[in-house]
Amino acid sequence: MARRLFRFAQHGAAAAMLVALGACSGPLRPSQGSADSFHNQLLVLDSHLDTPVHFGRPGWNIADRHSFTDDLSQVDLPRMVDGGLDGGFFVIFTPQGPLTSDAYTKAHIFALKRASEIRQVVQRHPGALALVTTPAEARQAAADGRRVVFQSIENSYPLGTSTAALEDFYDRGVRMASPVHSRNNQFADSTTDTPQWHGLSPLGREWVAEMNRLGMVIDASHASDAAFDQMLALSRAPIILSHSGPKAVFDHPRNIDDARLTALAAKGGVIQINSVFLAPTNQSAAWQALLDEQRNLNAMTPAEQKALARRTAAEESRDPYITATFELFMASLLHTLKLVGPDHVGIGADWDGGGGVRGMEDVAALPRITERLKAAGYSDADIAKIWSGNLLRVVQAAQDAAAR
Ligand SMILES: [Zn+2]
């Protein structure tokens, strides 16, 4: 989740390291059939699907085909099939509110509702979707022809002033969580706020220990650099950046520097490359108003939703919000691959949370990434790791560390 609730002005040059496009690792190898058919054989997972924001929308059904221009969504079952997307982590995102006990209660109820919406959507489509909690279950679900639904928490704010509720979310199947979103909270500093804790709060340190005890993956996307450093140092298991990018491609607080990426990899972690924060976005008043309206989709009738989508599309053709291109996304992915190697990189494009670039507007476009990785010389085995192997390794490592 980025675009809709993200208010940080994105200054700075879009100094993309397009030179990284030329980065290759290993020799080019002859393609075995088309990249498309190879892509469809892979287990393709995205570590940060904000699609549950649509689950409460009147009239919205994941089984229907939608388009971004008609309805502002980027993931549904028909487009997952088109793009060969087997699933991933479906996010329980809670917007940051005040740090008061009343607000914690409301946020907790909101997060529980979102978790039950995810469960209900899976239950309504038992032949097409499977709720999973382990890598083995994910592989089995995909082998059975079902889409994989892991659950994660973005922003632990709804937990309130203790970590006790983490176990309840674990029991509901959640296997990954991040402490913080775009503003500081009771657990940690956000990378897009002014340092308050200088990393994790004392409660945030307890949160790390509880995450490890339960065997949940610690997600450091949105956390400040100091909080990232502390989570990396404290965690007994490898950690993840579920939807982040390299600062070397675009200097933005939501992106991470090469030294930290190297440290993440050295501890067995993984960065899942985002399609947001690749270039400045349009900060016009018209866009701010549209993005504010988009936060209320769940309160709109289907006709109102459609009207908003049309106005968004009209503004996009008049004065685009996103200038980043697929080339820039690939530059970000290839830079990171060159830096830390194919064992520590995956994809978390922030679909339905602000993700998407020109040339890759929704998940139907994912085979283009595989095609470009092949063209850059990555082996079939490397590409399989990038699309799910690394993510599942980190999920397994967190679960193994808990079992020990
Ligand atoms: Zn996010």
Side-chain angles (χ1 to χ4, degrees), residues 230-255:
Q230 292 161 19
M231 285 188 273
L232 190 65
L234 288 170
S235 178
R236 288 190 290 108
I239 72 171
I240 194 169
L241 291 160
S242 72
H243 58 304
S244 289
K247 249 188 178 54
V249 167
F250 182 51
D251 187 2
H252 186 281
R254 268 290 275 117
N255 292 333

Side-chain angles (χ1 to χ4, degrees), residues 28 55 117 134 189 229 298 352 376 391 401 403:
L28 283 165
F55 289 176
E117 284 169 351
T134 67
D189 288 343
D229 293 342
N298 286 5
D352 289 322
L391 171 63

Side-chain angles (χ1 to χ4, degrees), residues 1-2 48 50 154 181 222 243 254 350:
M1 172 63 63
H48 193 83
D50 270 311
E154 180 174 34
H181 190 245
H222 287 284
H243 58 304
R254 268 290 275 117
D350 210 357

